[in-house]
Amino acid sequence: MTDPTDIDGLDEDEALAGELALRVLSPAEEAGARAREASDPAFAAHVDAWNERLAGLAEGVAPVEPSAWVWPRVEAGLTPPTAANDNGVVFWRRWAIGSTGLLAASLAAVIVMLAQPAPVPVAPTPPPAVIRVATLTLESGAAAMTIAYDSATGELYLAPTDKMAGDTRVPHLWLVMPEGGVQLVGAIDGSATSRHSLGQALSGPAGAANAVAVSMEAPGHTPAADHPDGPVVASGELQRL
């Protein structure tokens, strides 16, 4: 069976068309690719072919209900909500009982992101690699971002859609821990693909976290490491690849 997301052996145009269909290009690269799609029928055909492959992959994944422990553990780790943070708590409750059947899109984006070269720390006996992926969705159900975490290198990959672009607030990424509570990763770019090297203090929690979330914080403000101050706008469960 042919893997619809396999980019090995593709020429440069087909690979670029695949990255455009997966929405993992930077804004500048995507603008250039869109312009070429509009003017180059052969390139546009490659993009259409990728879109058809990915649509078929997503249709083959059945919806998955989140585990029953998700909301109680998230709720246990949060302090009583203030008026300024009510929207975040309401969102987390709705997300906890919603569907998370977007893993197919996550897998496709991860394949492209992990294919990009990156420095690998030298280790005498590296542990077996564990790739964990998640698709973060907004309250509306729209996909906001795909992330992947490589436990062997401590690398975190983020591929946002355009759903958070233009917001004047700064998105911050959070880990939702299995024992309850949340852990701040830090400010992220909500409009462009990026790669982050997590330090030792975060690599362990990132490997153990059950879910991830994004809050929107005021520019120049950094919330406490265990509680967001701005509203939580997107969340998703982490799954092993």
Coordinates of all heavy atoms in Angstrom, one line a residue, residues 71 73 98 187 224 228:
W71 N -10.4 15.9 32.0 CA -10.9 17.1 32.6 C -10.7 17.1 34.1 O -10.2 18.1 34.7 CB -12.4 17.3 32.3 CG -13.0 18.4 33.2 CD1 -13.9 18.2 34.1 CD2 -12.6 19.7 33.3 NE1 -14.1 19.4 34.8 CE2 -13.3 20.4 34.3 CE3 -11.6 20.5 32.6 CZ2 -13.2 21.7 34.6 CZ3 -11.5 21.9 32.9 CH2 -12.3 22.4 33.9
R73 N -8.3 15.9 35.9 CA -6.9 16.2 36.2 C -6.5 17.7 35.9 O -5.7 18.3 36.5 CB -6.0 15.2 35.6 CG -6.1 13.8 36.2 CD -5.1 12.9 35.6 NE -5.3 11.5 36.2 CZ -4.6 10.5 35.9 NH1 -3.6 10.6 35.0 NH2 -4.8 9.3 36.5
G98 N -15.1 16.8 24.2 CA -15.2 16.9 22.7 C -14.4 15.8 22.0 O -13.8 14.9 22.6
A187 N 6.4 31.3 25.5 CA 5.8 32.0 24.4 C 6.2 31.3 23.1 O 7.3 30.8 22.9 CB 6.2 33.5 24.3
A224 N 2.7 32.9 35.5 CA 3.3 32.0 36.4 C 3.5 30.7 35.7 O 2.7 30.3 34.8 CB 2.5 31.8 37.7
P228 N -2.1 29.8 33.6 CA -2.2 30.9 32.7 C -3.0 32.0 33.2 O -3.9 31.8 34.0 CB -2.9 30.2 31.5 CG -3.7 29.1 32.1 CD -2.9 28.6 33.3

